[in-house]
Amino acid sequence: MELRTLSRLAAPAVAALLALTTGCTGDTVQGRPGASGLRDPYFPRAGNGGYQVDHYALDLDYDPADGQLHGTAVITARAEQALSSFNLDLSGLNVKGVTVQGEGARYNRTGNELTVRPAEDLKKGEVFRTEVDYSGKPKALADPDGAEEGWITTEDGAVAVGEPVGSMTWFPGNHHPSDKASYDITITVPRGYEAVSNGELRSRTEGTDGRTVFAWHSPEPMASYLATAAVGRYKVTTGRTPSGVGLYSAVAPAEEAASAGPLGRLPEMVEWGGGRFGPYPFASTGAIVVPAGTLGYALETQGRPVYSGAPSADLVVHELAHQWFGDSVSPKSWKDMWLNEGFATYAEWLWTEDHGGPTAQERFEAFLTGDTDVDEDADKDWAAFPPAAPPGPQDISADPVYYRGAMVLHRIRQEVGDERFFALLRGWAEDHRHGNASTADFTAYAEEKTGRDLKKIWDVWLYGKGRPA
Ligand code: TRP
Ligand code: ZN
């Protein structure tokens, strides 16, 4: 019913009609549209308002030969307000149909927004199921910093990496880290291909139609940028860490030899991380090593990071540390990236300190003096901007977020001593486990947990401009 039509009717008739079309009487709240973005300071249109997702069931069918993806996304969410319509983020692809609560829904698309108008308004608090059927050839996106993300094709398949907003290239969703959900990702591929995703492989079924169906299950909450799917001819290794975390790694055959050493240490690294940061937050671990040159970076996709070519041991430690810092404790907004990258970089410093390499103090000093003999990255421009306030969206993965972020943590350690510092790291991971946190949450928590006033560190190292004296 369009407004144009309504305006031609007399007022009482309009009221009666509204009651009819919404199926409710005057005392029921009329739904209103959910917001089309969550007003993230760097990616204002990412995510959507008015609901929170509990679960995504993605059923994907991918053929590497023609690059066509056929998908069904079943999204179970809870309305946080009465909704007449709501948005999902989706980039490219063709939507073939949308249902809400099993009934056909109207929808339209503008830019990366898919607006869904259910046949009936949703009540505040209502748990509702949306099914989106879609297909097409997914396209990668260029980030503000020029990096490629989203659905990336490889020589024999594809891999999905979604930081910060690339996941909208392969499934519709509430694509902002503040809305975490559990996932079931089922991928059907031609026989001979592997399909790898997050979590645990529930089943692998060879169909009679020459296709293989891989059903992946992620019970722990996951931010959508950490969801992945990789299709290709991979060598798969499975196992278990000493403390019982399931291991599943998929490595491109050409990268197998060079990956064996670093990835062979993953079980040991998981145990080490448990000792330093508290229990590993997920039921499984592993790696996806895509052909070298596919991407210009690695990504900490949940439980199973994606590496472009064989990783170094330091990189495996970095992506492993993200499982606590970034994946389990996720940023509230993209401004909080240093909570991911500063912590993961500091974890690398701790790993070398614990394994006969330079200490974190030595690496901190190397950055102050630019000594690349101690740390090959020590001459990077870590002082270009304050880690807690990147100038713009093109800076959220820039050097200060990583290196000066790590230096912030080392300054805290210098101030409070090892015992309090490591209790802080563990406490932070434990108290925000599987949740979201902001920089303000961290600074308040650090002062409370250590019992110290750390304002000078925040002012100078976290928010201050230029090189600290
Ligand atoms: N978060 C990734 C890591 O540190 C790196 C990363 C992801 C990245 N996307 C990026 C770096 C885009 C530069 C540009 O492991
Ligand atoms: Zn990182």
Side-chain angles (χ1 to χ4, degrees), residues 300 318-319 322 340-341 344 402:
E300 62 268 26
H318 179 103
E319 305 308 334
H322 273 308
N340 289 12
E341 302 306 346
Y402 285 71

Side-chain angles (χ1 to χ4, degrees), residues 69-119:
L69 177 72
H70 296 272
T72 301
V74 176
I75 302 169
T76 308
R78 179 183 295 271
E80 292 184 307
Q81 63 173 66
L83 285 167
S84 55
S85 69
F86 61 91
N87 279 21
L88 294 165
D89 302 319
L90 182 66
S91 167
L93 302 166
N94 307 305
V95 174
K96 294 187 288 187
V98 181
T99 66
V100 177
Q101 300 292 60
E103 280 195 74
R106 291 207 263 171
Y107 60 91
N108 65 58
R109 302 187 68 184
T110 28
N112 298 327
E113 300 292 335
L114 166 63
T115 303
V116 177
R117 185 128 74 97

Side-chain angles (χ1 to χ4, degrees), residues 196-269:
V196 191
S197 186
N198 313 91
E200 288 77 58
L201 183 62
R202 277 277 174 85
S203 62
R204 181 192 201 281
T205 316
E206 299 276 349
T208 48
D209 57 351
R211 304 174 73 72
T212 315
V213 183
F214 294 81
W216 291 92
H217 176 65
S218 296
E220 305 94 352
M222 177 163 77
S224 79
Y225 78 95
L226 299 168
T228 190
V231 174
R233 300 188 190 273
Y234 291 102
K235 289 293 275 262
V236 170
T237 316
T238 62
R240 214 157 266 288
T241 70
S243 64
V245 178
L247 194 103
Y248 190 108
S249 290
V251 179
E255 306 301 332
E256 251 198 306
S259 297
L263 289 183
R265 296 190 73 180
L266 185 56
E268 173 201 347
M269 290 169 179

Side-chain angles (χ1 to χ4, degrees), residues 27-216:
D27 55 15
T28 310
V29 186
Q30 180 93 34
R32 52 197 172 80
S36 62
L38 288 171
R39 296 166 177 256
D40 183 277
Y42 295 75
F43 297 89
R45 316 209 62 160
N48 303 284
Y51 65 93
Q52 290 256 323
V53 179
D54 292 328
H55 183 74
Y56 291 89
L58 308 179
D59 210 324
L60 310 174
D61 191 313
Y62 187 66
D63 186 351
D66 62 7
Q68 288 285 324
L69 177 72
H70 296 272
T72 301
V74 176
I75 302 169
T76 308
R78 179 183 295 271
E80 292 184 307
Q81 63 173 66
L83 285 167
S84 55
S85 69
F86 61 91
N87 279 21
L88 294 165
D89 302 319
L90 182 66
S91 167
L93 302 166
N94 307 305
V95 174
K96 294 187 288 187
V98 181
T99 66
V100 177
Q101 300 292 60
E103 280 195 74
R106 291 207 263 171
Y107 60 91
N108 65 58
R109 302 187 68 184
T110 28
N112 298 327
E113 300 292 335
L114 166 63
T115 303
V116 177
R117 185 128 74 97
E120 276 178 53
D121 283 14
L122 298 161
K123 295 185 216 47
K124 181 176 179 177
E126 185 174 350
V127 175
F128 63 101
R129 208 179 121 104
T130 304
E131 179 172 323
V132 181
D133 290 301
Y134 60 101
S135 66
K137 212 169 157 169
K139 282 198 195 70
L141 295 175
D143 285 349
D145 63 6
E148 269 215 322
E149 58 156 336
W151 190 267
I152 314 272
T153 53
T154 61
E155 41 201 68
D156 65 356
V159 63
V161 284
E163 185 178 43
V165 293
S167 292
M168 66 180 170
T169 65
W170 60 285
F171 67 96
N174 199 19
H175 291 305
H176 188 268
S178 57
D179 188 4
K180 297 167 73 162
S182 57
Y183 283 70
D184 279 280
I185 301 180
T186 300
I187 311 169
T188 303
V189 291
R191 182 169 300 158
Y193 288 91
E194 301 293 330
V196 191
S197 186
N198 313 91
E200 288 77 58
L201 183 62
R202 277 277 174 85
S203 62
R204 181 192 201 281
T205 316
E206 299 276 349
T208 48
D209 57 351
R211 304 174 73 72
T212 315
V213 183
F214 294 81
W216 291 92

Side-chain angles (χ1 to χ4, degrees), residues 303-350:
R304 195 157 290 116
V306 170
Y307 302 96
S308 183
S312 65
D314 280 354
L315 188 56
V316 177
V317 167
H318 179 103
E319 305 308 334
L320 173 68
H322 273 308
Q323 303 306 312
W324 286 264
F325 308 111
D327 295 21
S328 171
V329 185
S330 304
K332 271 188 184 159
S333 91
W334 289 113
K335 200 170 183 168
D336 302 314
M337 264 291 261
W338 83 277
L339 293 175
N340 289 12
E341 302 306 346
F343 282 62
T345 302
Y346 198 69
E348 295 178 61
W349 297 11
L350 291 175

